[in-house]
């Protein structure tokens, strides 16, 4: 596969736009934007990347905002198919990676059903990049050997949540929570109930990669209070690695100090 091959007319390219700073997009993503006749763009996609589009390209905002503009997924699927059938090169620009809580596969399947060819250009997911932009590695040798990325969109006590919080605690991995601002207090409580120690470090990183990026760090039992007033989008990291967020918060874990020397 050649991700830089020219886009054919009538094709849809699903482009992962990274966490918001256009500089964190892939070369293939940029090339697709440059060739696009029409771009369907989410609110979390990097707006700076639109400067790479041709002057004749049409830009359609298909944001799904909880309060504000809203385009249904069905309508987005229809628009992708309609524009591709019109012989245009369509770029679907999303935040992060299209397949991480991005409904990207639904769009690929809708196109496939309509006989529209698609190309998937992966993006830098905020699950890894946003912690990194705040200095937090999601793994760290000798400290944590994996990370779990979960959606915090549905509260833990909701039957449709679908996550086993006991298993997450038992996994010993760093926990990365997306879409979790509104439910942060309930998520922290659930982790505490399942035995994660109250002094586990945690950090909330809001608007990662944007000029107004903001980081709040505290122990797990205090993180919800510390994050009061934080507005989405934000990524929460829970686990020893979150100590790297604010070095003054607490003395570094001796193991971390050893590792970083
Ligand atoms: N597909 C995206 C995630 C979509 S879900 C990806 O791979 O990154 C939307 C969630 O992503 C937000 O609620 C937030 O948790 C996170 N997010 C995306 N961009 C972010 C940013 N710049 N800063 C902080 N969080 C971000």
């Amino acid at each position: 596969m050649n991700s830089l091959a020219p886009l054919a007319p009538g094709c849809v390219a699903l482009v992962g736009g990274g966490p918001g700073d256009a500089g964190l997009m892939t070369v293939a993503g940029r090339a697709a934007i440059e060739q696009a006749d029409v771009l369907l763009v989410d609110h979390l996609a990097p707006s700076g990347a639109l400067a790479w589009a041709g002057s004749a390209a049409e830009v359609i905002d298909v944001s799904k905002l909880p309060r504000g503009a809203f385009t249904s997924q069905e309508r987005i699927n229809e628009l992708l198919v309609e524009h591709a059938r019109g012989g245009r090169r369509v770029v679907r620009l999303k935040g992060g990676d299209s397949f991480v809580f991005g409904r990207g596969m639904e769009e690929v399947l809708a196109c496939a059903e309509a006989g529209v060819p698609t190309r998937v250009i992966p993006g830098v997911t905020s699950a890894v990049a946003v912690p990194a932009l705040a200095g937090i590695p999601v793994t760290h040798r000798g400290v944590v050997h994996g990370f779990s990325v979960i959606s915090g969109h549905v509260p833990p006590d909701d039957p449709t949540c679908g996550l086993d919080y006991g298993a997450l605690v038992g996994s010993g991995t760093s926990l990365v929570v997306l879409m979790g601002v509104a439910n942060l207090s309930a998520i922290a409580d659930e982790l505490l109930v399942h035995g994660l120690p109250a002094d586990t470090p945690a950090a909330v990183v809001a608007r990662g990669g944007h000029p107004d990026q903001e980081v709040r760090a505290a122990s797990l039992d205090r993180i919800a209070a510390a994050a009061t007033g934080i507005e989405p989008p934000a990524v929460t990291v829970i686990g020893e690695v979150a100590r790297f967020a604010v070095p003054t918060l607490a003395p570094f874990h001796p193991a971390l100090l050893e590792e970083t020397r």
Side-chain angles (χ1 to χ4, degrees):
M1 178 206 164
N2 176 7
S3 62
L4 291 172
L7 287 181
C11 147
V12 171
L14 223 69
V15 176
D21 171 352
L24 297 177
M25 280 197 56
T26 63
V27 173
R30 177 174 180 156
I33 289 173
E34 286 168 350
Q35 297 171 67
D37 299 308
V38 55
L39 297 102
L40 279 75
V41 182
D42 274 356
H43 76 287
L44 284 179
S47 50
L50 297 177
W52 302 326
S55 52
E58 182 185 356
V59 177
I60 305 174
D61 180 356
V62 290
S63 296
K64 290 194 208 85
L65 293 174
R67 302 176 291 260
F70 184 87
T71 310
S72 72
Q73 189 60 52
E74 294 65 33
R75 183 65 193 136
I76 294 171
N77 296 351
E78 278 170 18
L79 285 169
L80 290 171
V81 169
E82 276 170 29
H83 284 289
R85 282 191 171 151
R88 304 172 92 187
R89 294 173 189 84
V90 184
V91 161
R92 173 71 175 107
L93 182 62
K94 290 168 174 282
D97 182 90
S98 305
F99 287 171
V100 180
F101 304 132
R103 305 190 70 166
M105 199 60 199
E106 293 171 51
E107 298 177 9
V108 170
L109 291 173
C111 288
E113 204 168 299
V116 169
T118 52
R119 178 183 302 179
V120 176
I121 301 178
V124 174
T125 181
S126 64
V128 175
V130 168
L133 291 166
I136 305 170
V138 291
T139 68
H140 190 59
R141 189 167 175 272
V143 174
V144 64
H145 300 271
F147 60 99
S148 304
V149 180
I150 64 168
S151 162
H153 182 60
V154 177
D157 63 350
D158 187 306
T160 66
C161 167
L163 290 168
D164 181 340
Y165 274 81
L168 288 168
V169 169
S171 71
T173 59
S174 310
L175 299 182
V176 181
V177 187
L178 270 58
M179 298 180 281
V181 172
N183 293 320
L184 186 54
S185 173
I187 291 167
D189 286 350
E190 190 73 5
L191 293 169
L192 292 166
V193 163
H194 285 283
L196 204 59
D199 62 355
T200 304
V204 178
V205 186
R207 299 174 302 282
H210 294 263
D212 57 347
Q213 174 175 311
E214 194 180 350
V215 184
R216 305 267 180 95
S219 52
L220 178 60
D221 58 341
R222 294 171 180 216
I223 190 65
T228 303
I230 282 271
E231 291 282 334
V235 169
T236 301
V237 186
I238 301 161
E240 282 301 315
V241 288
R243 272 186 214 281
F244 282 112
V246 181
T248 51
L249 178 75
F252 274 97
H253 190 286
L256 293 182
L257 267 184
E258 204 53 51
E259 282 295 320
T260 47
R261 249 181 219 137

